[in-house]
Amino acid sequence: MKTGASRGEIDGVVDRARSLGLNVQLNLGTDKTVVALLGSNTGQLSTDIFAVLPGVEGVTRIMKPYKLASREFKAEDSLVSIDGIEIGAKRVVVMAGPCAVESEGQLMEVARAVKESGASILRGGAFKPRTSPFSFQGLQKVGLELLAKAKERLDMPVITEVVDPHDVNLVSSYADILQVGSRNMQNFALLTNIGRSNCPVVLKRGYSCTITEWLTAADYLLAEGNNQVILCERGIRTFEDSVRFSLDISSIPVIKRFSHLPVIVDPSHAAGHYSLVPAIARAAIAAGADGLLIEVHPNPKEALVDGLQSLTPSDFARLMEELRQIARCVGRYI
Ligand code: PEP
Ligand code: MN
């Protein structure tokens, strides 16, 4: 819309689009409003239908498969705010904690430690999407209750994964941020339910998915009106087998170029080994990541899940010091 287009003019475009069976999303920018016209038949519609309406500055077809996640729809960076912690701003936000919540003692110990070292959000899996049905599946509802306890005790927001589309309401009643795991990036029923929940969400990249597929999956969340979407690069499958997954460091500048959404990095699942986590974490911040998601366990050797890639609290404290220096070099802070 033209700068200063009236509400009536915007409504005129919205009404016309709806009369043609299109879905509409508005980006109410400070300067200009962008109206996204969405539907499977937009290719058959002439742009003139909208170009002639009062207040319209121009009509552009977004040629990429993803629309709402694109910079064409929203040029300025999106910020996601969780209890006053902004993701996508100058501060690099560190989320840390165990892969899985195992017990009250384990969770409280690690939560206290990561908070003391400067992490601002606590991670912990209650529902674990395990490769094998015979592996530990998480404490589930009990795990959520323990996360709520840790949140209250330490005054720290929590992020936890939701696996089943039917559990979105349950998990979002405990979590400050929902995590969509790599294996569920294209679980469209799950994405749609999370989109309707309006709970902030971290969308991990499917380990065999392209950046385009990742951003198009983000559209499922955005299409339902949930714009609190954070992307998370966590490594992709390549021919390289000396690491668990190959962290696609280029995905960070690529996302920054093509999307307005914040992007964080999970060095733990990419590395698969604790000794490799610090270098990958430092590289992520240098490359422009807006945050990190790191696995920390008070006693990694005893961990029920992902012990080999988990940092001890003291390794994590040391890493945070290094990360502060890298952040400073790229004009940010932790
Ligand atoms: C996790 O964060 O514990 C996890 C299962 O990650 P991913 O979905 O990236 O494998
Ligand atoms: Mn894990």
Side-chain angles (χ1 to χ4, degrees), residues 1-11 13 27-35 50-59:
M1 304 298 296
K2 288 178 182 151
T3 305
S6 69
R7 189 70 228 190
E9 288 170 331
I10 296 168
D11 288 345
V13 174
N27 170 24
L28 302 165
T30 42
D31 187 29
K32 276 185 203 300
T33 293
V34 179
V35 186
F50 298 99
V52 298
L53 297 177
V56 173
E57 183 175 278
V59 185

Side-chain angles (χ1 to χ4, degrees), residues 99 123 128 244 269 295 305-306 309:
C99 178
R123 71 148 283 156
K128 295 304 302 174
R244 191 174 177 194
H269 289 84
E295 288 187 342
V305 192
D306 285 347
Q309 69 197 31

Side-chain angles (χ1 to χ4, degrees), residues 79-96 114 117-123 156-159 177 202 230-232 262-267 281 284-285 288-294 316 320 323-324 327 332-334:
L79 297 180
V80 176
S81 186
I82 295 119
D83 282 356
I85 301 165
E86 282 196 324
I87 300 175
K90 257 200 153 45
R91 177 175 175 203
V92 175
V93 174
V94 179
M95 311 178 186
V114 298
S117 300
S120 39
I121 296 174
L122 176 65
R123 71 148 283 156
M156 215 180 172
V158 296
I159 172 168
I177 310 176
V202 162
I230 303 153
L231 301 167
C232 178
V263 60
I264 65 169
V265 164
D266 170 353
I285 293 186
D290 296 304
L292 293 166
L293 180 67
I294 302 178
F316 178 72
M320 287 295 280
L323 296 178
R324 283 193 181 92
R332 304 184 80 164
Y333 67 98
I334 292 184

Side-chain angles (χ1 to χ4, degrees), residues 60-332:
T60 312
R61 282 190 199 279
I62 302 178
M63 300 311 286
K64 300 201 179 68
Y66 52 89
K67 315 291 179 192
L68 300 174
S70 75
R71 286 256 184 219
E72 284 95 329
F73 174 57
K74 187 165 184 272
E76 64 277 15
D77 289 345
S78 286
L79 297 180
V80 176
S81 186
I82 295 119
D83 282 356
I85 301 165
E86 282 196 324
I87 300 175
K90 257 200 153 45
R91 177 175 175 203
V92 175
V93 174
V94 179
M95 311 178 186
C99 178
V101 177
E102 297 170 8
S103 68
E104 182 165 345
Q106 172 243 22
L107 185 65
M108 295 305 161
E109 185 178 346
V110 79
R112 229 171 267 125
V114 298
K115 180 167 181 173
E116 203 176 293
S117 300
S120 39
I121 296 174
L122 176 65
R123 71 148 283 156
F127 292 91
K128 295 304 302 174
R130 305 307 303 283
T131 299
S132 164
F134 310 118
S135 303
F136 174 58
Q137 302 289 314
L139 293 181
Q140 312 206 345
K141 187 148 187 296
V142 172
L144 295 176
E145 284 157 5
L146 292 176
L147 283 166
K149 220 172 193 179
K151 170 188 160 79
E152 199 188 299
R153 227 178 263 175
L154 290 143
D155 190 24
M156 215 180 172
V158 296
I159 172 168
T160 195
E161 179 161 356
V162 55
V163 175
D164 186 322
H166 301 107
D167 286 341
V168 170
N169 286 341
L170 171 74
V171 180
S172 62
S173 68
Y174 290 92
D176 299 285
I177 310 176
L178 296 173
Q179 177 175 322
V180 177
S182 186
R183 290 152 191 83
N184 266 324
M185 189 202 86
Q186 288 183 309
N187 181 337
F188 301 121
L190 179 65
L191 299 180
T192 299
N193 283 2
I194 295 173
R196 290 177 183 156
S197 79
N198 235 13
C199 185
V201 52
V202 162
L203 179 64
K204 292 188 116 186
R205 180 179 182 180
Y207 55 70
S208 297
C209 291
T210 64
I211 294 172
T212 296
E213 286 162 340
W214 187 14
L215 291 172
T216 310
D219 264 4
Y220 270 87
L221 298 163
L222 298 164
E224 297 299 329
N226 186 345
N227 50 22
Q228 297 175 281
V229 178
I230 303 153
L231 301 167
C232 178
E233 164 65 41
R234 47 78 72 211
I236 53 175
R237 181 143 285 167
T238 68
F239 52 79
E240 183 50 63
D241 63 0
S242 56
V243 281
R244 191 174 177 194
F245 293 94
S246 297
L247 188 89
D248 180 8
I249 198 87
S250 344
S251 71
I252 304 160
V254 171
I255 291 288
K256 290 285 169 198
R257 180 170 168 208
F258 293 115
S259 178
H260 53 88
L261 297 173
V263 60
I264 65 169
V265 164
D266 170 353
S268 306
H269 289 84
H273 196 273
Y274 68 92
S275 66
L276 306 172
V277 169
I280 299 176
R282 294 192 302 262
I285 293 186
D290 296 304
L292 293 166
L293 180 67
I294 302 178
E295 288 187 342
V296 183
H297 195 283
N299 186 3
K301 286 195 181 70
E302 306 275 298
L304 297 180
V305 192
D306 285 347
L308 195 57
Q309 69 197 31
S310 298
L311 300 183
T312 61
S314 62
D315 284 345
F316 178 72
R318 200 171 315 118
L319 172 60
M320 287 295 280
E321 279 314 308
E322 297 171 5
L323 296 178
R324 283 193 181 92
Q325 295 179 46
I326 304 283
R328 214 172 298 128
C329 291
V330 292
R332 304 184 80 164

